[in-house]
Amino acid sequence: MSENPLVLVTGGSGFLAIWVIVQLFNQGYRVRTTVRKLTRVNDIKKCLCEANITEEQISSLEVVQADLLKDAGWAEAVKDVTYDLHLASPFPAELPKHEDDLINPARDGTIRVLRAARNSGCVTRVVMTSSFAAVGYGHPEERFKPDASPFIEKDWTNISSGNVPPYQKSKTLAELAAWEFMETECMDSKLELAVINPVSIYGPALGKDDGTSLRAIGELLEGNSPGVPKLCWGIVDVRDCADMHLRAMTNPRAKDERFLCIGEGSLWMEEISNILKKSLGSKAKKVPTTVLPNFLVRGLAVFLPVARLILTDLGHNKRVSNTKAKEILGWQWKYTSEQAVVASATSITKFGAVKV
Ligand SMILES: NC(=O)c1ccc[n+]([C@@H]2O[C@H](COP(=O)([O-])OP(=O)(O)OC[C@H]3O[C@@H](n4cnc5c(N)ncnc54)[C@H](OP(=O)(O)O)[C@@H]3O)[C@@H](O)[C@H]2O)c1
Ligand SMILES: *[C@@H]1O[C@H](CO)[C@@H](O)[C@H](O)[C@H]1NC(C)=O
Ligand SMILES: *[C@@H]1O[C@H](CO)[C@@H](O)[C@H](O)[C@H]1NC(C)=O
């Protein structure tokens, strides 16, 4: 009997990537991952242990050092690989000095990963983690009214609209570059591409590196803001998001498709605060519940660069459809938004990533 397929996960130290690796091991795949710093390998192994992956599987994890900004390592990373899950991409909590600090690794890194996969001759499919950031930005205000139709996979972020923030731009340009590479440079190759576009990912962290998406929960628990801005996000649990990646990896119908990845729905930040208050008791005593009027947030942003990141989202209702993933991939979310939020909060307090 031949060995189980080898799967490459780029950026294994990430919040989502760890859970993808956990599910791959649980389904019996062999796993290789890339890191840009080998010092992260011990953290990854600790997280896998926390998720009850066996000693034997943990020690079987293959690691290759590769940076999205450099060619070195990528050819070695895809050797003998059948499926290549491309998750690595810069996702900082702060504004970058220059937007190219995000765009270059996201876009050029994606092309490095795809080119290595194509040249390998063995990789049959790449699943790229794009984002709702490549779908729902730069649209006219009407798209964010409560009665607007939900965002679907045909929607693309309009980077020419002039007010798309750097991270959203980097994800859009990276996904556009990926589809263009497939069309122009993979005609005679067996390589296939499928793309996942998650909304905000919550759910449990498996270690103290909580990642940027859980920072929003950490900031609330630490009481770092006098109130909550009128912001609304789609939510998916990291375990459901990882599950969609594994389905897109093997389902023949996922070829050439992008899939929005959202669970039960969207929440306003005020609702997230109230969930935390209700479920975490004294650990949520600093969580603000006063809603900040938009004019106040706009005023704050003049002095607080990081507040500028949210201005384009202020007051926007975000409805996002998961119909396509349900129909084509047979995917179904298992964790409610509330469960995902509470699991995030519980895990980041457990691992000491926030001071409450
Ligand atoms: N979390 C969300 O809410 C969300 C929503 C939609 C889409 N996504 C996408 O999902 C993917 C995973 O995100 P995450 O939440 O798990 O973020 P994360 O925890 O910050 O992980 C990002 C990963 O990318 C790696 N990386 C960054 N710059 C790199 C570079 N120049 N070379 C090599 N690796 C690099 C990081 O490695 P280091 O450990 O070395 O920094 C880390 O492993 C990303 O593509 C992100 O855009 C996330
Ligand atoms: C690991 O096992 C413990 C003890 O059985 C259990 O409580 C925990 O939920 C498991 N974790 C995961 C991620 O499956
Ligand atoms: C993108 O935005 C620009 C500037 O607002 C607009 O002219 C253009 O029509 C938009 N493109 C699409 C595809 O909506």
Side-chain angles (χ1 to χ4, degrees):
M1 207 187 88
S2 65
E3 276 184 304
N4 292 335
L6 177 62
V7 182
L8 177 69
V9 178
T10 70
S13 54
F15 168 56
L16 173 62
I18 297 274
W19 276 105
V20 168
I21 295 173
V22 165
Q23 292 188 5
L24 288 168
F25 274 137
N26 285 338
Q27 292 192 16
Y29 290 100
R30 294 180 297 134
V31 184
R32 182 183 291 154
T33 191
T34 65
V35 289
R36 53 177 164 173
K37 292 196 201 78
L38 288 170
T39 50
R40 297 304 309 272
V41 177
N42 261 333
D43 302 328
I44 297 175
K45 294 194 166 180
K46 262 194 227 156
C47 290
L48 296 176
C49 189
E50 183 68 28
N52 306 327
I53 300 303
T54 66
E55 281 294 329
E56 196 187 341
Q57 282 181 308
I58 294 176
S59 55
S60 76
L61 177 71
E62 297 181 32
V63 179
V64 171
Q65 190 172 14
D67 190 306
L68 294 170
L69 287 166
K70 296 176 190 144
D71 290 331
W74 292 110
E76 187 194 342
V78 289
K79 193 170 175 289
D80 301 324
V81 162
T82 304
Y83 305 115
D84 182 347
L85 309 186
H86 176 43
L87 278 67
S89 201
F91 186 29
E94 295 87 31
L95 264 180
K97 278 208 194 74
H98 193 280
E99 61 182 21
D100 288 344
D101 297 345
L102 301 187
I103 293 170
N104 292 344
R107 183 191 52 204
D108 303 353
T110 296
I111 296 307
R112 284 193 171 90
V113 167
L114 283 171
R115 182 171 290 126
R118 182 201 60 191
N119 293 349
S120 73
C122 51
V123 177
T124 57
R125 182 174 289 179
V126 170
V127 178
M128 172 188 185
T129 314
S130 181
S131 174
F132 177 71
V135 175
Y137 285 79
H139 296 285
E141 286 295 316
E142 302 87 79
R143 285 306 305 269
F144 304 102
K145 298 272 188 288
D147 56 350
S149 59
F151 282 97
I152 57 171
E153 286 78 1
K154 287 196 184 76
D155 292 313
W156 274 89
T157 288
N158 180 359
I159 52 169
S160 322
S161 71
N163 61 352
V164 178
Y167 170 74
Q168 283 77 0
K169 230 182 205 179
S170 78
K171 295 302 284 183
T172 308
L173 289 169
E175 193 191 331
L176 283 170
W179 289 119
E180 186 185 300
F181 182 84
M182 293 306 294
E183 213 167 275
T184 57
E185 300 200 45
C186 292
M187 284 96 75
D188 308 316
S189 149
K190 64 174 178 182
L191 186 68
E192 299 177 351
L193 177 67
V195 170
I196 306 290
N197 299 76
V199 293
S200 290
I201 307 171
Y202 291 126
L206 289 167
K208 67 175 166 20
D209 294 303
D210 51 348
T212 295
S213 60
L214 301 199
R215 270 322 296 159
I217 307 277
E219 300 284 343
L220 285 173
L221 290 172
E222 288 179 348
N224 293 340
S225 159
V228 285
K230 284 184 191 157
L231 289 176
C232 172
W233 290 293
I235 292 179
V236 67
D237 189 280
V238 65
R239 294 159 288 189
D240 289 329
C241 184
D243 174 38
M244 194 186 288
H245 281 73
L246 269 68
R247 287 168 188 268
M249 181 174 97
T250 51
N251 189 312
R253 292 176 63 204
K255 174 183 187 252
D256 289 337
E257 301 289 348
R258 61 200 307 235
F259 297 94
L260 279 162
C261 181
I262 179 169
E264 184 187 18
S266 302
L267 289 178
W268 290 91
M269 205 161 171
E270 182 190 9
E271 297 176 290
I272 296 180
S273 277
N274 289 330
I275 288 171
L276 294 173
K277 285 275 189 212
K278 188 181 82 183
S279 309
L280 267 86
S282 67
K283 288 205 166 107
K285 61 179 184 292
K286 294 185 198 158
V287 173
T289 50
T290 314
V291 177
L292 301 174
N294 291 347
F295 77 86
L296 195 63
V297 179
R298 290 203 185 92
L300 275 175
V302 175
F303 307 102
L304 264 181
V306 65
R308 274 172 230 158
L309 282 174
I310 62 173
L311 289 184
T312 46
D313 286 332
L314 226 45
H316 282 178
N317 191 68
K318 300 233 182 79
R319 292 182 60 214
V320 184
S321 168
N322 56 19
T323 304
K324 184 174 169 185
K326 285 177 171 167
E327 286 179 1
I328 295 188
L329 303 176
W331 176 86
Q332 172 61 49
W333 57 269
K334 297 186 190 66
Y335 298 92
T336 63
S337 302
E338 176 162 345
Q339 285 171 328
V341 166
V342 172
S344 291
T346 309
S347 68
I348 58 181
T349 52
K350 170 177 160 188
F351 292 110
V354 290
K355 287 168 220 75
V356 293

PDB file of all heavy atoms in Angstrom, residues 137-140 156-163, ligand 3:
ATOM      1  N   TYR A 137     -14.434  45.053   0.073  1.00  0.00           N
ATOM      2  CA  TYR A 137     -13.959  46.427   0.310  1.00  0.00           C
ATOM      3  C   TYR A 137     -14.034  47.254  -0.967  1.00  0.00           C
ATOM      4  O   TYR A 137     -14.002  46.719  -2.069  1.00  0.00           O
ATOM      5  CB  TYR A 137     -12.530  46.409   0.875  1.00  0.00           C
ATOM      6  CG  TYR A 137     -12.551  45.986   2.325  1.00  0.00           C
ATOM      7  CD1 TYR A 137     -12.674  44.642   2.658  1.00  0.00           C
ATOM      8  CD2 TYR A 137     -12.546  46.932   3.337  1.00  0.00           C
ATOM      9  CE1 TYR A 137     -12.764  44.248   3.985  1.00  0.00           C
ATOM     10  CE2 TYR A 137     -12.634  46.556   4.664  1.00  0.00           C
ATOM     11  CZ  TYR A 137     -12.737  45.213   4.982  1.00  0.00           C
ATOM     12  OH  TYR A 137     -12.846  44.822   6.290  1.00  0.00           O
ATOM     13  N   GLY A 138     -14.144  48.568  -0.773  1.00  0.00           N
ATOM     14  CA  GLY A 138     -14.155  49.483  -1.909  1.00  0.00           C
ATOM     15  C   GLY A 138     -15.475  49.489  -2.664  1.00  0.00           C
ATOM     16  O   GLY A 138     -15.538  49.909  -3.811  1.00  0.00           O
ATOM     17  N   HIS A 139     -16.549  49.005  -2.012  1.00  0.00           N
ATOM     18  CA  HIS A 139     -17.867  48.997  -2.647  1.00  0.00           C
ATOM     19  C   HIS A 139     -18.666  50.235  -2.235  1.00  0.00           C
ATOM     20  O   HIS A 139     -18.381  50.838  -1.207  1.00  0.00           O
ATOM     21  CB  HIS A 139     -18.626  47.729  -2.252  1.00  0.00           C
ATOM     22  CG  HIS A 139     -17.991  46.477  -2.741  1.00  0.00           C
ATOM     23  ND1 HIS A 139     -18.050  46.074  -4.059  1.00  0.00           N
ATOM     24  CD2 HIS A 139     -17.229  45.556  -2.103  1.00  0.00           C
ATOM     25  CE1 HIS A 139     -17.378  44.938  -4.191  1.00  0.00           C
ATOM     26  NE2 HIS A 139     -16.859  44.610  -3.031  1.00  0.00           N
ATOM     27  N   PRO A 140     -19.689  50.592  -3.029  1.00  0.00           N
ATOM     28  CA  PRO A 140     -20.526  51.738  -2.651  1.00  0.00           C
ATOM     29  C   PRO A 140     -21.255  51.486  -1.322  1.00  0.00           C
ATOM     30  O   PRO A 140     -21.522  50.330  -0.974  1.00  0.00           O
ATOM     31  CB  PRO A 140     -21.545  51.839  -3.796  1.00  0.00           C
ATOM     32  CG  PRO A 140     -21.154  50.865  -4.830  1.00  0.00           C
ATOM     33  CD  PRO A 140     -20.096  49.977  -4.289  1.00  0.00           C
ATOM     34  N   TRP A 156     -15.680  41.284  -5.821  1.00  0.00           N
ATOM     35  CA  TRP A 156     -14.248  41.500  -5.616  1.00  0.00           C
ATOM     36  C   TRP A 156     -14.032  42.873  -5.004  1.00  0.00           C
ATOM     37  O   TRP A 156     -14.716  43.841  -5.382  1.00  0.00           O
ATOM     38  CB  TRP A 156     -13.491  41.454  -6.954  1.00  0.00           C
ATOM     39  CG  TRP A 156     -13.088  40.070  -7.369  1.00  0.00           C
ATOM     40  CD1 TRP A 156     -13.826  39.190  -8.112  1.00  0.00           C
ATOM     41  CD2 TRP A 156     -11.844  39.421  -7.070  1.00  0.00           C
ATOM     42  NE1 TRP A 156     -13.121  38.027  -8.286  1.00  0.00           N
ATOM     43  CE2 TRP A 156     -11.904  38.146  -7.660  1.00  0.00           C
ATOM     44  CE3 TRP A 156     -10.699  39.790  -6.359  1.00  0.00           C
ATOM     45  CZ2 TRP A 156     -10.850  37.222  -7.562  1.00  0.00           C
ATOM     46  CZ3 TRP A 156      -9.659  38.883  -6.261  1.00  0.00           C
ATOM     47  CH2 TRP A 156      -9.734  37.604  -6.855  1.00  0.00           C
ATOM     48  N   THR A 157     -13.086  42.967  -4.099  1.00  0.00           N
ATOM     49  CA  THR A 157     -12.679  44.265  -3.571  1.00  0.00           C
ATOM     50  C   THR A 157     -12.184  45.142  -4.716  1.00  0.00           C
ATOM     51  O   THR A 157     -11.435  44.684  -5.576  1.00  0.00           O
ATOM     52  CB  THR A 157     -11.569  44.062  -2.512  1.00  0.00           C
ATOM     53  OG1 THR A 157     -12.190  43.495  -1.359  1.00  0.00           O
ATOM     54  CG2 THR A 157     -10.874  45.359  -2.155  1.00  0.00           C
ATOM     55  N   ASN A 158     -12.646  46.391  -4.722  1.00  0.00           N
ATOM     56  CA  ASN A 158     -12.258  47.328  -5.785  1.00  0.00           C
ATOM     57  C   ASN A 158     -11.105  48.194  -5.286  1.00  0.00           C
ATOM     58  O   ASN A 158     -11.321  49.188  -4.588  1.00  0.00           O
ATOM     59  CB  ASN A 158     -13.479  48.189  -6.146  1.00  0.00           C
ATOM     60  CG  ASN A 158     -13.175  49.181  -7.246  1.00  0.00           C
ATOM     61  OD1 ASN A 158     -12.034  49.255  -7.735  1.00  0.00           O
ATOM     62  ND2 ASN A 158     -14.177  49.948  -7.641  1.00  0.00           N
ATOM     63  N   ILE A 159      -9.871  47.798  -5.649  1.00  0.00           N
ATOM     64  CA  ILE A 159      -8.729  48.542  -5.126  1.00  0.00           C
ATOM     65  C   ILE A 159      -8.576  49.916  -5.772  1.00  0.00           C
ATOM     66  O   ILE A 159      -7.840  50.752  -5.278  1.00  0.00           O
ATOM     67  CB  ILE A 159      -7.391  47.763  -5.248  1.00  0.00           C
ATOM     68  CG1 ILE A 159      -7.183  47.271  -6.667  1.00  0.00           C
ATOM     69  CG2 ILE A 159      -7.323  46.613  -4.257  1.00  0.00           C
ATOM     70  CD1 ILE A 159      -5.788  46.738  -6.889  1.00  0.00           C
ATOM     71  N   SER A 160      -9.314  50.152  -6.873  1.00  0.00           N
ATOM     72  CA  SER A 160      -9.242  51.493  -7.495  1.00  0.00           C
ATOM     73  C   SER A 160     -10.136  52.489  -6.769  1.00  0.00           C
ATOM     74  O   SER A 160     -10.139  53.667  -7.098  1.00  0.00           O
ATOM     75  CB  SER A 160      -9.689  51.452  -8.951  1.00  0.00           C
ATOM     76  OG  SER A 160      -9.266  50.292  -9.573  1.00  0.00           O
ATOM     77  N   SER A 161     -10.920  52.027  -5.805  1.00  0.00           N
ATOM     78  CA  SER A 161     -11.877  52.929  -5.168  1.00  0.00           C
ATOM     79  C   SER A 161     -11.190  53.956  -4.276  1.00  0.00           C
ATOM     80  O   SER A 161     -11.803  54.929  -3.876  1.00  0.00           O
ATOM     81  CB  SER A 161     -12.882  52.132  -4.343  1.00  0.00           C
ATOM     82  OG  SER A 161     -12.231  51.618  -3.205  1.00  0.00           O
ATOM     83  N   GLY A 162      -9.919  53.720  -3.952  1.00  0.00           N
ATOM     84  CA  GLY A 162      -9.154  54.753  -3.257  1.00  0.00           C
ATOM     85  C   GLY A 162      -9.159  54.652  -1.740  1.00  0.00           C
ATOM     86  O   GLY A 162      -8.366  55.310  -1.083  1.00  0.00           O
ATOM     87  N   ASN A 163     -10.050  53.843  -1.147  1.00  0.00           N
ATOM     88  CA  ASN A 163     -10.024  53.787   0.327  1.00  0.00           C
ATOM     89  C   ASN A 163      -9.908  52.364   0.866  1.00  0.00           C
ATOM     90  O   ASN A 163     -10.492  52.035   1.886  1.00  0.00           O
ATOM     91  CB  ASN A 163     -11.244  54.504   0.921  1.00  0.00           C
ATOM     92  CG  ASN A 163     -12.540  53.851   0.462  1.00  0.00           C
ATOM     93  OD1 ASN A 163     -12.508  52.983  -0.404  1.00  0.00           O
ATOM     94  ND2 ASN A 163     -13.656  54.237   1.046  1.00  0.00           N
TER      95      ASN A 163
HETATM   96  C1  LIG B   3     -13.980  50.986  -8.656  1.00  0.00           C
HETATM   97  O1  LIG B   3     -13.957  52.277  -8.098  1.00  0.00           O
HETATM   98  C2  LIG B   3     -13.719  53.297  -9.067  1.00  0.00           C
HETATM   99  C3  LIG B   3     -13.519  54.618  -8.318  1.00  0.00           C
HETATM  100  O2  LIG B   3     -14.586  54.838  -7.409  1.00  0.00           O
HETATM  101  C4  LIG B   3     -14.869  53.323 -10.046  1.00  0.00           C
HETATM  102  O3  LIG B   3     -14.645  54.326 -11.013  1.00  0.00           O
HETATM  103  C5  LIG B   3     -14.975  51.954 -10.726  1.00  0.00           C
HETATM  104  O4  LIG B   3     -16.109  51.912 -11.571  1.00  0.00           O
HETATM  105  C6  LIG B   3     -15.099  50.859  -9.675  1.00  0.00           C
HETATM  106  N1  LIG B   3     -14.996  49.555 -10.337  1.00  0.00           N
HETATM  107  C7  LIG B   3     -15.940  48.648 -10.230  1.00  0.00           C
HETATM  108  C8  LIG B   3     -15.678  47.355 -10.945  1.00  0.00           C
HETATM  109  O5  LIG B   3     -16.957  48.808  -9.598  1.00  0.00           O
END
